[in-house]
Amino acid sequence: MDALQQHLFDSYRAARHGEPAPPAPGTHDLAVLRELRDRRRFERVMAGRPATGRLRAALARAAARLGRR
């Protein structure tokens, strides 16, 4: 059973019991990713390391490598 089928089953069950329907699959994915990013930044700051610039620096290196080819 995939996530959509499980959601439909849970929605049906909730409707039969008079309960609110559960959120659709993937509804809170972006919020979870933001929380993960914030947690990693916090841990880096607490460890005394810089908290920003890693992704941007990695993308700049990748773009430079692609430009050299």
Side-chain angles (χ1 to χ4, degrees), residues 3-67:
L4 180 60
Q5 291 170 340
Q6 182 66 44
H7 174 69
L8 293 172
F9 179 73
D10 290 341
S11 296
Y12 173 76
R13 186 176 44 84
R16 299 260 316 182
H17 290 262
E19 300 171 355
T27 301
H28 303 292
D29 288 354
L30 289 178
V32 169
L33 291 175
R34 284 187 198 108
E35 288 290 329
L36 178 63
R37 179 196 62 199
D38 292 344
R39 177 66 184 192
R40 291 190 66 195
R41 284 182 178 173
F42 173 75
E43 289 174 354
R44 290 185 64 79
V45 168
M46 294 306 293
R49 297 188 305 258
T52 58
R54 294 179 63 200
L55 179 60
R56 187 169 290 151
L59 290 174
R61 284 192 306 271
R65 271 188 261 132
L66 289 174

